[in-house]
Amino acid sequence: MVEEAFDRKAVAVETPAERPDQYYGKLVFNRRTMFEYLPKATYEALVDAIENKKPINRQVADSVAEGMRRWATEHGVRHYTHWFAPLTGGTAEKHDAFIEHDGKGGVIEEFSGKLLVQQEPDASSFPNGGIRNTFEARGYSAWDISSPAFILDQTLCIPTIFISYTGESLDYKTPLLRALNAVDKAATAVAKYFDPEVKHVTSFLGWEQEYFLVDESLYSARPDLVMTGRTLMGHESPKNQQLEDHYFGSIPSRVEAFMLDLEIRCHRLGIPVKTRHNEVAPNQFECAPIYEETNLANDHNLLLISVMNEVARRHNFRVLLHEKPFAGVNGSGKHNNWSLGTDRGAQLFAPGRTPMDNLQFITFVVNVMAAVHRHNALLKASIMSATNSHRLGANEAPPAIISIFTGSQLAAILDQLENSDEADLSDLKKKSEYSLGLAQIPEIMLDNTDRNRTSPFAFTGNRFEFRAVGSSANCASAMIVLNAAVAEQLEIFKQKVDEAVKNGAKLTDAILREVRTLIKESKAIHFDGNGYSDEWKEEAARRGLDCETSAPLMFDAYLSPSSVKMFEQTKVLSRPELEARNEVKWEIYTKKIQIEARVLGDLALNHIIPVATRYQSMLVDNVVKLRDLFGERANEMAKCDLDTIEKISHHMGLIKTLVAEMVNARKKANNISAEREKAIAYHDTVVPAMETIRYNIDKLELMVDNEMWPLPKYRELLFIR
């Protein structure tokens, strides 16, 4: 049966008669589909190349391309595209039809291995940090065989990397694949201490995608939402999240219809979304998948965002993925749950049944702690952006200081190992039982660690949860740094253990000795307390952790000597690539603030001031009429109006002055040629002016007649009806 393509014009939710397992992955060229459409020899060669990370020859590529084309055209597909993730943060695609000249004045449908493996998109118009000039346009996209092709909107999408003509990566996937290869190699070498049969270690990712929904009509009436993704002004609603009644509450029927439609689309595309619920803030929601290999999980998150935006419009919604679209309520994150596992089935961050299993667990956990400690500034830079800077440290988001939460059980084991030559690793438990003493309630299985919502990097039982990642971010940014940093640390660990064994130490003694050293060296990164407290900020500074809060300055961490050394040794990014990426980060930061400032200035002068002036004129007219009627007695009667007139004048005067100052600050910053210094100038001069302008506009919102106010207010935007 031919799978129907996504109908953009359809409005009703299509609920298949089959169960999800019957249509899951129907639009994916997965192994089941490959087995059906490829010759046996081609199928086996491709699977072997995927599993063992080997190249394929052009003969195999031609065979795969033909099978892929036949499958796609049977689903009504006419075009194909190389689907990649440039440094814009989103995805890119150029569509080509399956046609070639037939030599007789007509065309034939054809798709060769050459076209499957490689394309040549323009590399000059994507962010490149100076690697490519406008007149040097050549770039290459190349097929990633480990991430299956899929059909989206009647187009065959082939996941690819994107590099420049001179070989530098211009995307997120290329360094992510390098980082995953590095951690595979380094972690496998250490895992062999405990199981010599291990051949590969895989990095796994489970993202939790938070987002807001707003009515499309209200969205369209807010130019700031349309152009920046967030409200640049707006006074808090009298009721927002203070009653905590939205979190895990009953899902509104309109939203549930959207979620069901989204899940059906995702399951057909092989995205294993499993969880959905209301989040803390009004109109805020979350979805999360079953864990997958990190590269595939990242591709699926990017694809989810594309599908989510499309499905939302079918339901008269708009999705907001900005980290802080509304002031005064929770922002949105994309928590990255990260773990490592061997091809032998071992979870490296989970306690085992034997002391040796638990030594392996402790070894890998402590090496992660050491890597995060050494590169805490870099990890923070990896999740920082102009948008995420609004979220960190506010309303349940972790602070802009990287620390690790371990929980009491693991903390006790680490203390024991640090202070004693003998450590009991036989009693590490994955879960423990707890009874409430109620016959009708079964025993509860307690995890070996609690959760700490203020921790940016928390151990949560068998994985680490990187909570500081922003909702609009490409997960790859954080995953590149984390996997590369851990790979570097594991390489150092193995060198020291091997050296100790070479000098006569027993393997377990050498491992324990190095683990104990790492615990002591990385002690500063361990913090199980309240990350929101001022005391922690002071304590973190004393511990030597990076406490910088300026996004443009945080990006400097990418070019620190330790970062450059780490990236080069793991072969993830070269120094020129790092320098180029930082140029892009500074440039994007500047442009985002620049757009916001322009929108805010336009709204302030052309929307807010005229309305406030008109309302003020109405009040003045009322005062004049009262005086005409009542003479001197009118002064007392009009006291309230006179007070409001004065306050409106005060705030309008400040807004006009501040907008002029903001424009001048922007012009001055624009004259700076160096991207870093320009971004810093925008952060230091333009952003503060915007915040003050907003404060005064929000005050006017409380004074001006509600029917005259030109923009939908928070109480309208934040509550779906």
Side-chain angles (χ1 to χ4, degrees):
M1 176 177 169
V2 175
E3 186 72 19
E4 292 184 4
F6 190 168
D7 181 3
R8 292 176 182 268
K9 296 181 180 179
V11 175
V13 180
E14 180 190 351
T15 305
E18 313 101 309
R19 302 299 301 167
D21 63 315
Q22 295 177 300
Y23 60 81
Y24 185 86
K26 286 287 188 178
L27 299 178
V28 184
F29 198 68
N30 52 27
R31 293 195 184 188
R32 182 175 55 192
T33 307
M34 287 160 47
F35 185 79
E36 180 180 353
Y37 282 85
L38 299 181
K40 182 179 179 182
T42 301
Y43 172 81
E44 291 176 348
L46 183 57
V47 170
D48 179 58
I50 293 170
E51 291 183 346
N52 297 297
K53 301 178 181 180
K54 299 191 302 187
I56 61 171
N57 59 42
R58 282 304 169 96
Q59 183 179 359
V60 171
D62 283 335
S63 183
V64 172
E66 175 55 24
M68 195 180 289
R69 183 197 63 79
R70 284 194 299 110
W71 167 73
T73 54
E74 285 180 15
H75 285 75
V77 170
R78 296 187 177 189
H79 293 77
Y80 67 93
T81 182
H82 275 200
W83 185 79
F84 57 95
L87 298 180
T88 57
T91 56
E93 52 197 67
K94 180 190 71 168
H95 298 192
D96 287 301
F98 289 120
I99 60 170
E100 296 292 341
H101 285 296
D102 65 356
K104 302 174 183 178
V107 295
I108 57 172
E109 287 191 335
E110 187 176 277
F111 186 46
S112 67
K114 179 181 178 181
L115 297 175
L116 168 64
V117 169
Q118 180 177 316
Q119 274 193 335
E120 187 183 317
D122 187 334
S124 65
S125 297
F126 289 107
N128 59 66
I131 287 178
R132 308 298 293 154
N133 292 311
T134 302
F135 59 86
E136 296 174 317
R138 197 182 298 274
Y140 297 111
S141 56
W143 178 33
D144 172 15
I145 64 172
S146 65
S147 185
F150 55 89
I151 295 171
L152 185 65
D153 293 352
Q154 295 186 318
T155 299
L156 174 65
C157 298
I158 303 159
T160 64
I161 64 169
F162 181 45
I163 62 173
S164 73
Y165 176 74
T166 46
E168 295 91 353
S169 66
L170 296 174
D171 67 341
Y172 283 99
K173 182 183 279 283
T174 304
L176 177 62
L177 291 173
R178 293 170 182 167
L180 296 178
N181 285 337
V183 80
D184 175 10
K185 180 180 177 182
T188 298
V190 174
K192 283 180 178 292
Y193 287 148
F194 308 95
D195 181 358
E197 299 301 315
V198 171
K199 295 181 180 179
H200 288 291
V201 169
T202 301
S203 169
F204 294 98
L205 170 63
W207 39 261
E208 301 169 28
Q209 181 67 62
E210 295 176 341
Y211 60 95
F212 281 83
L213 289 176
V214 295
D215 283 302
E216 186 162 27
S217 58
L218 297 176
Y219 171 89
S220 299
R222 292 282 312 216
D224 49 354
L225 279 179
V226 172
M227 287 185 274
T228 73
R230 76 178 181 107
T231 54
L232 299 176
M233 60 192 71
H235 199 278
E236 287 187 37
S237 170
K239 178 186 183 297
N240 47 51
Q241 67 184 50
Q242 64 265 50
L243 295 179
E244 300 175 336
D245 55 342
H246 191 257
Y247 191 46
F248 280 19
S250 177
I251 300 172
S253 57
R254 283 184 61 201
V255 176
E256 189 168 10
F258 156 77
M259 289 178 168
L260 176 59
D261 200 356
L262 175 64
E263 288 167 354
I264 292 169
R265 302 296 176 190
C266 285
H267 290 163
R268 285 176 171 166
L269 288 164
I271 307 172
V273 289
K274 180 181 178 69
T275 302
R276 65 185 187 190
H277 63 81
N278 288 6
E279 257 299 335
V280 176
N283 277 26
Q284 189 186 33
F285 307 95
E286 179 181 297
C287 66
I290 301 170
Y291 288 24
E292 299 179 285
E293 183 274 328
T294 296
N295 177 48
L296 180 59
N298 190 61
D299 280 353
H300 278 168
N301 183 252
L302 293 171
L303 180 55
L304 169 93
I305 291 171
S306 177
V307 175
M308 183 183 289
N309 285 317
E310 190 73 53
V311 173
R313 296 184 71 172
R314 287 162 50 93
H315 293 264
N316 298 315
F317 285 130
R318 284 301 184 106
V319 174
L320 302 182
L321 291 175
H322 193 288
E323 283 74 10
K324 198 74 171 178
F326 302 105
V329 297
N330 278 19
S332 295
K334 179 153 34 195
H335 307 160
N336 280 204
N337 295 278
W338 171 78
S339 62
L340 296 174
T342 72
D343 58 339
R344 301 264 292 169
Q347 296 182 53
L348 297 179
F349 299 144
R353 297 181 178 180
T354 68
M356 202 62 178
D357 288 341
N358 289 332
L359 179 57
Q360 176 177 259
F361 159 67
I362 290 292
T363 295
F364 277 91
V365 167
V366 169
N367 272 280
V368 171
M369 293 179 68
V372 173
H373 178 240
R374 178 182 294 111
H375 295 292
N376 71 93
L378 178 60
L379 278 163
K380 185 169 66 174
S382 75
I383 55 88
M384 183 46 60
S385 65
T387 54
N388 204 22
S389 61
H390 293 283
R391 166 180 166 261
L392 295 183
N395 296 90
E396 288 198 8
I401 302 169
I402 299 296
S403 63
I404 292 180
F405 169 85
T406 63
S408 57
Q409 185 189 30
L410 181 54
I413 293 295
L414 295 176
D415 287 342
Q416 184 183 5
L417 282 167
E418 179 186 359
N419 299 311
S420 172
D421 290 335
E422 297 294 330
D424 182 10
L425 297 178
S426 62
D427 196 34
L428 273 172
K429 298 178 181 178
K430 294 182 179 180
K431 293 181 182 288
S432 59
E433 295 180 353
Y434 177 74
S435 175
L436 292 173
L438 299 172
Q440 65 269 43
I441 304 296
E443 290 181 330
I444 297 173
M445 300 301 294
L446 298 179
D447 289 283
N448 61 11
T449 176
D450 200 351
R451 288 183 181 269
N452 186 325
R453 299 186 68 83
T454 71
S455 175
F457 198 89
F459 178 70
T460 55
N462 60 2
R463 62 192 183 277
F464 286 92
E465 183 180 14
F466 199 177
R467 293 179 55 83
V469 183
S471 61
S472 67
N474 186 321
C475 297
S477 181
M479 290 295 101
I480 290 166
V481 172
L482 179 57
N483 285 283
V486 171
E488 177 202 45
Q489 173 54 40
L490 288 170
E491 288 179 356
I492 295 171
F493 176 84
K494 186 176 187 302
Q495 290 172 1
K496 292 186 177 180
V497 169
D498 287 351
E499 184 178 349
V501 171
K502 184 178 180 181
N503 291 332
K506 292 182 179 179
L507 178 61
T508 54
D509 291 341
I511 291 173
L512 277 170
R513 189 178 304 133
E514 186 58 25
V515 163
R516 187 174 296 112
T517 299
L518 292 178
I519 292 172
K520 293 176 180 177
E521 290 179 351
S522 61
K523 198 174 182 66
I525 204 70
H526 180 196
F527 177 67
D528 285 359
N530 180 9
Y532 290 157
S533 67
D534 292 333
E535 291 80 7
W536 166 235
K537 295 174 184 177
E538 296 172 1
E539 173 64 21
R542 284 195 293 270
R543 293 186 184 190
L545 302 181
D546 188 275
C547 298
E548 182 58 61
T549 58
S550 165
L553 292 178
M554 287 185 200
F555 299 149
D556 288 343
Y558 273 95
L559 297 177
S560 70
S562 62
S563 296
V564 174
K565 179 181 178 182
M566 181 270 289
F567 281 122
E568 289 186 333
Q569 287 189 348
T570 55
K571 299 180 181 179
V572 172
L573 287 165
S574 66
R575 186 178 186 92
E577 288 174 317
L578 286 168
E579 291 172 344
R581 282 164 189 269
N582 258 29
E583 288 292 303
V584 171
K585 287 179 181 292
W586 285 314
E587 183 181 4
I588 289 177
Y589 178 89
T590 296
K591 288 179 177 178
K592 282 185 178 291
I593 304 301
Q594 185 181 73
I595 292 169
E596 288 187 351
R598 287 175 173 172
V599 172
L600 180 60
D602 171 56
L603 288 175
L605 298 182
N606 298 317
H607 292 66
I608 305 303
I609 293 296
V611 169
T613 301
R614 192 156 62 247
Y615 179 63
Q616 185 185 49
S617 297
M618 291 172 59
L619 294 178
V620 170
D621 185 58
N622 186 55
V623 171
V624 171
K625 289 178 179 177
L626 284 172
R627 284 176 174 169
D628 288 343
L629 285 172
F630 300 102
E632 292 184 1
R633 284 191 299 157
N635 290 334
E636 184 63 28
M637 298 168 63
K639 186 175 181 181
C640 182
D641 283 350
L642 289 169
D643 182 57
T644 302
I645 291 168
E646 184 178 355
K647 288 180 178 178
I648 289 175
S649 293
H650 171 72
H651 290 298
M652 287 198 301
L654 285 175
I655 290 169
K656 291 176 181 177
T657 300
L658 289 165
V659 169
E661 291 176 356
M662 179 184 69
V663 171
N664 288 332
R666 201 173 71 233
K667 289 179 177 178
K668 186 175 180 180
N670 290 341
N671 288 326
I672 301 173
S673 58
E675 292 295 345
R676 178 180 181 274
E677 283 66 35
K678 185 187 296 184
I680 292 171
Y682 264 88
H683 175 274
D684 293 349
T685 62
V686 179
V687 171
M690 292 173 62
E691 292 171 353
T692 311
I693 292 168
R694 175 180 188 144
Y695 171 82
N696 285 279
I697 292 175
D698 290 353
K699 288 296 184 181
L700 286 178
E701 183 182 321
L702 295 178
M703 301 177 195
V704 174
D705 186 341
N706 181 67
E707 291 186 3
M708 297 177 64
W709 194 253
L711 304 173
K713 297 182 178 181
Y714 273 24
R715 66 170 180 264
E716 299 160 322
L717 291 166
L718 281 173
F719 297 94
I720 289 174
R721 297 168 182 82

